[in-house]
Amino acid sequence: MRPTAADTLKSSGKPPRSVLVALFGALVPLLAALTLLAPPAAARTEAVPTAARTEAVPAAARTEAVPAAALTEVTGFGANPSNLQMYVYVPAAVTAHPAVVVAVHYCGGSGPAMYSGTEYASLADQLGFIVVYPSVTRASKCFDVSSPQALHRDGGSDPVGIKSMVDWVTSTYSADTSRVYALGISSGAMMTNVLLGDYPDVFAAGAAFAGVPFGCFATTDGSEWNTACANGTVIQTPQQWGDLVRGADPGYTGPRPRMQLWHGTADDTLRSPNFGEEIKQWTNVLGVSQTPAATDSPATGWTRTRYGATGDQAPVEAISLQGVTHNLYAYGMGARVLTFFGLDSGSVPQPPSGACKVTVTISAWNTGLTASVTIANTGTSAVNGWQLGFTLPTGQAITNGWGATYTPASGTVTATNASYDGTIAPNASVTIGYQANHTGNSAAPTAYTLNGTACTVG
């Protein structure tokens, strides 16, 4: 029998409004409003900028449940106690019995925002899997990872709705039920932990970017926020953490899903001690040693530890990003997720490991400055699609820019290529720039990364 009774986990305080705002705005917002097309039956298609994903499929030729290569909202997909929205992306070349990837958004986000701001749809185009994008409708736009209902299998709230979305896809497309995966960012990372705890028989693996352990955010007073957990002060033994996961589905005795964890050491929203607590939890759940079987640095500033095995599909893989804040997700990480899931079969290009060089010229006045930034590809392979990461000195804030989209305006900034300068051939370069205000320090950033790889500054 599967339990549905509520757990009695203890609550903690509500956050200051400023902390909630920081969490809601920590990651990329929805890039553009999406226009609804006429709905066929229980689905309607979202109009998105990429032509390849919006091309209509002739009605006479359409045999799939939703239009191919278009973000589509599906309604009436099954039990949905918290009124989530379901968006799905089915690539034109969907494979027979495809894998399913559930991509869960951050606080303040949405399913369409997760679609537009991450690369999983384009990876699905390459590999033929289906992507599900759950979307919160409650005012906070945060997933329920704290209520007793959410922390038990079939207990109600968001996990039940997401499980129904997976069931709809596996039934409609005869998907491979042994290859269902979850990933998420921030609130979505917390939900990834919850999904793998509530439904260990459904998910084969998960990837959590800047999250907290299963049960860490638990409250019983209706609050969505747990300050003690967010601040990294909820410390438990591996056994205690593991028992919380096992208690979500106490009748389950089968294999447990593998887990990949990502966290920035400078995260001041969900502080970095949560990363260590997640490692304690999932090594215990999976029955492997807390001593790493392998440690390496796949990119500058990254420390990757693997537990229980040394290969790409270790039971637990944990990546710590030195000096990176809560806004840690960057282009190229999706390919690493698929490698951990075992979906890429070596066919998805990893973030470029070749060399790069950044040259910056600053023109400053009393309260402002302009920066001209030249990015040179000094490697041997072309860079196709790039994100340049850097940290502005304290007191600087970007007011406008050219050649790239800059988010956020201050602190740790990610500059994402424009449509016309996304490819940098070997020995070629592109120049971008921005204007910023400052409060006295008009210096240029001292370090840059291109798609997660450190560049020479000169």
Side-chain angles (χ1 to χ4, degrees), residues 75-147:
T75 60
F77 49 84
N80 184 23
S82 55
N83 195 34
L84 297 178
Q85 291 176 289
M86 174 186 178
Y87 293 87
V88 64
Y89 182 81
V90 179
V94 63
T95 60
H97 308 296
V100 180
V101 174
V102 180
V104 194
H105 69 74
Y106 41 89
C107 265
S110 67
M114 192 71 173
Y115 166 83
S116 298
T118 62
E119 65 270 47
Y120 296 101
S122 62
L123 292 171
D125 287 337
Q126 299 176 49
L127 298 171
F129 59 85
I130 294 173
V131 191
V132 175
Y133 299 94
S135 195
V136 169
T137 57
R138 66 177 60 89
S140 68
K141 304 300 182 184
C142 296
F143 285 92
D144 175 14
V145 296
S146 57
S147 76

Side-chain angles (χ1 to χ4, degrees), residues 48 87 91 134 143 159 176 262 300 381 411 426 448 450 452-455:
V48 294
Y87 293 87
F143 285 92
D176 185 347
W262 300 71
T300 301
S381 300
Y448 297 83
L450 186 67
T453 299
C455 298

Side-chain angles (χ1 to χ4, degrees), residues 18-29 106-109 185-187 209-210 225 267-270 324-329 407-410 412-414:
S18 60
V19 176
L20 277 175
V21 171
L23 181 59
F24 291 177
L27 294 162
V28 289
Y106 41 89
C107 265
I185 303 170
S186 190
S187 178
F209 291 85
W225 188 263
D267 191 329
D268 58 1
T269 302
L270 299 173
V324 175
T325 63
H326 191 63
N327 187 14
L328 85 168
Y329 193 88
T407 56
S410 60
T412 302
V413 177
T414 298

Side-chain angles (χ1 to χ4, degrees), residues 21-225:
V21 171
L23 181 59
F24 291 177
L27 294 162
V28 289
L30 176 60
L31 300 180
L34 301 178
T35 304
L36 295 177
L37 300 180
R44 64 178 184 267
T45 305
E46 296 292 326
V48 294
T50 307
R53 295 179 191 165
T54 57
E55 183 176 354
V57 180
R62 187 178 298 151
T63 57
E64 68 277 8
V66 299
L71 184 67
T72 303
E73 182 179 1
V74 175
T75 60
F77 49 84
N80 184 23
S82 55
N83 195 34
L84 297 178
Q85 291 176 289
M86 174 186 178
Y87 293 87
V88 64
Y89 182 81
V90 179
V94 63
T95 60
H97 308 296
V100 180
V101 174
V102 180
V104 194
H105 69 74
Y106 41 89
C107 265
S110 67
M114 192 71 173
Y115 166 83
S116 298
T118 62
E119 65 270 47
Y120 296 101
S122 62
L123 292 171
D125 287 337
Q126 299 176 49
L127 298 171
F129 59 85
I130 294 173
V131 191
V132 175
Y133 299 94
S135 195
V136 169
T137 57
R138 66 177 60 89
S140 68
K141 304 300 182 184
C142 296
F143 285 92
D144 175 14
V145 296
S146 57
S147 76
Q149 292 77 20
L151 296 173
H152 281 83
R153 183 188 184 100
D154 297 337
S157 197
D158 296 349
V160 171
I162 296 173
K163 166 66 160 49
S164 294
M165 298 177 196
V166 171
D167 290 343
W168 185 92
V169 171
T170 55
S171 174
T172 304
Y173 289 92
S174 299
D176 185 347
T177 56
S178 70
R179 295 191 301 148
V180 178
Y181 307 90
L183 65 95
I185 303 170
S186 190
S187 178
M190 294 190 245
M191 177 52 70
T192 297
N193 278 270
V194 169
L195 290 171
L196 268 58
D198 284 1
Y199 296 105
D201 55 332
V202 173
F203 295 94
F209 291 85
V212 304
F214 177 101
C216 185
F217 243 56
T219 62
T220 55
D221 61 358
S223 171
E224 295 180 16
W225 188 263

Side-chain angles (χ1 to χ4, degrees), residues 194-264:
V194 169
L195 290 171
L196 268 58
D198 284 1
Y199 296 105
D201 55 332
V202 173
F203 295 94
F209 291 85
V212 304
F214 177 101
C216 185
F217 243 56
T219 62
T220 55
D221 61 358
S223 171
E224 295 180 16
W225 188 263
N226 186 315
T227 299
C229 179
N231 287 340
T233 61
V234 178
I235 307 299
Q236 301 202 56
T237 67
Q239 184 70 35
Q240 288 172 321
W241 282 126
D243 285 347
L244 287 177
V245 172
R246 287 182 287 269
D249 187 11
Y252 182 73
T253 58
R256 296 278 175 173
R258 297 179 298 109
M259 177 62 92
Q260 183 186 63
L261 305 165
W262 300 71
H263 221 103

